[in-house]
Structures are given as structure tokens and as C-alpha cells.
Amino acid sequence: MKNYLLLCGGVGGAKLALGFSKILPNSNLTIAVNTGDDFNHLGLKICPDLDTVLYTLANQSDLSKGWGRSNESWEMLAALKKLGGETWFQLGDKDLATHIIRTQLLANGKNLSEITQELCDRFGVNANILPMSHEPVETYIQTQNRLLSFQEYFVKFKCDPPVTDFVFKGLDKAVFNPSINLTLFDEIIVCPSNPFVSINPIIQLDGINQYLKSNTHKVSVVSPIVNSKSLKGPTSKIMTELGLDVSVNAIADFYMDYAKTIFVDSLDSHQLHQIHDKGFETHTTPLVMNNLESKIQLAQSIFNYLETK
Ligand code: FO1
């Protein structure tokens, strides 16, 4: 069996990671997660995408919201509000425990890989979930009027301001997580996460950028666009604002230098010709993951294709 590395953002990535975790042994699966959305809030280190992947694999995620924990309570937030504290970023009581432990372990000198492993152990998750880097990379969104931190853009302003560009502060000083040895992987899968804000911070890192460009035969993209729209989050809105077509074809353009294979939904099969013309191989399979079965089925379909290619 081949070794698989997933490059993963939040919700869409976590769903596929869950599917893979159900069909592959832990020894053959590593999940490298975007940390560009991380920020310090109320004195706590919050890693939203790592949390989403962790909670999803622990079967403790809030499926309706896509982030945070299931059966959450909000006593702390209500109390904070009464005292005039900052409540635009919602921290549930159970979720808070994760951020407190992470912040404490960071203060004790552990790195984010060690801490994520520790949290996996405490949640009973047997998976190799790792941050993309140990150095801080902070995603900023350039909007028409001002530069917003990612969480301000995403949560405070609900992705409303039109996007013109992205800035990844700290990227020039960061390297891809050295505990992930890329040469050990036969297949690298770009999850159906937002290419601009969830995947780009990962693939622009020193230590992976050149490797992907030189090994495109190992790299596959699972399209975040199905039926010419994004399933969740602002991907299609951002594409429109950047003047791009909301299409798998535009996704192919985005990943042109990095990947050789694209997994496409049959609803977008009218674009296959254009994508093949760019030099990509494609495999058509249902990409919508709205229950556990479809997450496993997608992972299985990708696995079957890549294992025998
Ligand atoms: N997303 C929201 O839309 N509103 C929130 O208040 C919010 C709180 C939050 C707390 C912890 C956490 O781990 C994630 C949280 N998210 C929230 C999700 C997060 O901002 C985004 O899903 C990701 O950054 C995008 O991938």
C-alpha cells in the first residue's frame, strides 16, 4: 500500500481526512494542516483548522456549523458578554478547554506538532495530524478598503468585503514542518479546501513548494468546486471577486505548476476537455461529502484510482 499525505484546510479537508482515516492504517496516512488562520485571541492560541480536523476525526465536531464541538455550551461567552468582553469570535465552553491546553503547552516550550499529537492522544484520535509549519504564517486578506486579518475577514466581517489579494505574513521566514519527510510519500493529495486561503499558505512554504513542482506526478487535487460553485465557505465568492471563472477549469489553472491529477465531480464533466488540454489527468467521482458514507466513498474512490495508477 502507498503512503499518503493530505494537504488540508478546515471543513472540506477535514471531511476527506475523516474518510481516509476510515480506510487507511495510521502508518500510511499523514495530514498536514493549514495554520495560516491561527491567531491569538483573549490570550489563547487558536488553531481553527487543526481543531476542525481534530474534532472531526474524534467524531466530536459540530456538523451543522462546520467548526467547534458538538453538544457545545456557551456559558463563558455569555458571561464574557455581560462583562463587556470581546465576543465576535465565539468560543464554546468545551472548545475553550482545547485552546487553554494548547496555550499552556506552548508556554511550557512544546512545539505545535508535539501539542497536536498530545491533543490527539487526549481526544483518543489515532492519526498523524500535523501543522504545516512550526513558524507563524498569518493570512491577511486585502480588501478594497483595508487589510484584514483572516479571522476578522471570515468571522467579524462574514467574508463580506470584496477581496483583491492575500498576504501571508511570516511566510518568508517559515519552512514546511520538518517532521514531515516528503520523500516518504507516494501520493500527495490536496484536499477540497479553499485554494487561496487554506492551501496556498501550505504550498508556498519553503521545503514543500519546490518539491511539489518537481514531483507533480505524485500530486492530486480534489476539486473544491462542484457544479461550478463551492460547497461551503467563500471560495466561489472570492473567485468571482478576483475575476476568475467559478469552475474546475480555473482550479486547474491555479494548481497547474503543482499537480498532475484532478478529481472532478460528474456535474463538471463538460470541462474535462479543457482540463486535459492543460496536461492534467482527471478522474470523475462524486465529490459531495454530506454524510460519513460519502466521505468514506470519496476517499475509497481516490485511493482505488491512485493505488493502481
Ligand atoms: N467561525 C465562525 O464563522 N464564527 C466563529 O465565531 C468561529 C469561532 C471559532 C472558534 C474556534 C475554532 O477553532 C474555529 C472557529 N470558527 C468560527 C471557524 C474558523 O474561523 C474557520 O472555520 C476557519 O478559520 C476557516 O477554515
Side-chain angles (χ1 to χ4, degrees):
M1 188 188 288
K2 290 181 172 181
N3 273 329
Y4 290 81
L5 173 66
L6 304 189
L7 307 182
C8 185
V11 185
K15 287 180 176 180
L16 186 59
L18 177 64
F20 270 104
S21 75
K22 300 284 184 194
I23 64 162
L24 290 181
N26 191 23
S27 55
N28 292 67
L29 179 65
T30 297
I31 306 159
V33 181
N34 171 44
T35 55
D37 301 3
D38 294 8
F39 76 136
N40 288 307
H41 184 61
L42 307 174
L44 299 168
K45 171 80 167 175
I46 321 272
C47 302
D49 287 355
L50 279 168
D51 290 339
T52 299
V53 175
L54 173 67
Y55 296 158
T56 302
L57 267 64
N59 195 24
Q60 294 195 32
S61 71
D62 182 320
L63 295 174
S64 60
K65 287 206 303 308
W67 52 269
R69 290 184 60 174
S70 51
N71 302 315
E72 186 57 283
S73 59
W74 303 92
E75 296 287 323
M76 186 285 293
L77 204 72
L80 190 64
K81 190 171 183 186
K82 275 198 175 157
L83 293 177
E86 242 183 283
T87 55
W88 62 272
F89 192 78
Q90 297 176 50
L91 294 176
D93 301 332
K94 291 196 179 80
D95 185 32
L96 195 57
T98 306
H99 312 310
I100 290 172
I101 287 178
R102 180 186 292 119
T103 306
Q104 202 172 28
L105 292 173
L106 273 173
N108 292 347
K110 295 218 171 173
N111 70 35
L112 201 51
S113 291
E114 293 166 328
I115 295 167
T116 307
Q117 193 50 62
E118 174 103 36
L119 284 169
C120 281
D121 292 346
R122 294 189 193 193
F123 272 86
V125 170
N126 186 23
N128 303 306
I129 304 172
L130 290 156
M132 66 180 193
S133 174
H134 290 153
E135 290 80 32
V137 176
E138 294 171 79
T139 300
Y140 280 79
I141 311 293
Q142 183 65 59
T143 67
Q144 274 165 1
N145 299 324
R146 53 186 277 224
L147 190 67
L148 297 172
S149 73
F150 180 79
Q151 297 300 341
E152 278 182 303
Y153 165 76
F154 194 88
V155 178
K156 200 186 257 180
F157 296 107
K158 299 181 170 38
C159 307
D160 200 40
V163 175
T164 56
D165 207 353
F166 310 92
V167 177
F168 304 115
K169 290 191 183 172
L171 186 69
D172 51 334
K173 293 185 200 76
V175 291
F176 187 65
N177 189 334
S179 46
I180 306 173
N181 180 352
L182 289 170
T183 61
L184 297 179
F185 296 96
D186 307 294
E187 299 293 344
I188 300 175
I189 297 170
V190 176
C191 288
S193 300
N194 185 310
F196 308 100
V197 294
S198 301
I199 302 296
N200 216 17
I202 310 179
I203 67 178
Q204 293 306 324
L205 282 166
D206 256 7
I208 187 168
N209 185 269
Q210 202 48 55
Y211 186 84
L212 298 180
K213 287 177 175 168
S214 314
N215 292 276
T216 53
H217 61 284
K218 286 188 183 184
V219 188
S220 306
V221 173
V222 183
S223 174
I225 297 292
V226 172
N227 198 16
S228 299
K229 45 186 179 286
S230 51
L231 292 168
K232 194 149 172 55
T235 306
S236 53
K237 180 175 180 287
I238 291 176
M239 290 177 90
T240 306
E241 289 162 358
L242 295 177
L244 303 170
D245 255 8
V246 182
S247 65
V248 185
N249 192 36
I251 297 294
D253 284 334
F254 186 88
Y255 288 114
M256 186 92 127
D257 296 337
Y258 298 95
K260 190 83 190 146
T261 303
I262 304 197
F263 292 91
V264 175
D265 195 279
S266 59
L267 293 169
D268 299 296
S269 50
H270 56 283
Q271 300 222 309
L272 290 182
H273 273 311
Q274 283 166 282
I275 299 169
H276 291 153
D277 286 348
K278 295 185 210 302
F280 281 100
E281 284 159 24
T282 59
H283 180 64
T284 305
T285 189
L287 297 185
V288 179
M289 295 178 281
N290 45 19
N291 53 33
L292 179 61
E293 202 188 5
S294 53
K295 291 165 200 167
I296 295 172
Q297 270 169 5
L298 177 55
Q300 189 70 56
S301 165
I302 294 170
F303 172 81
N304 292 346
Y305 180 80
L306 295 178
E307 207 53 27
T308 55
K309 87 173 185 207

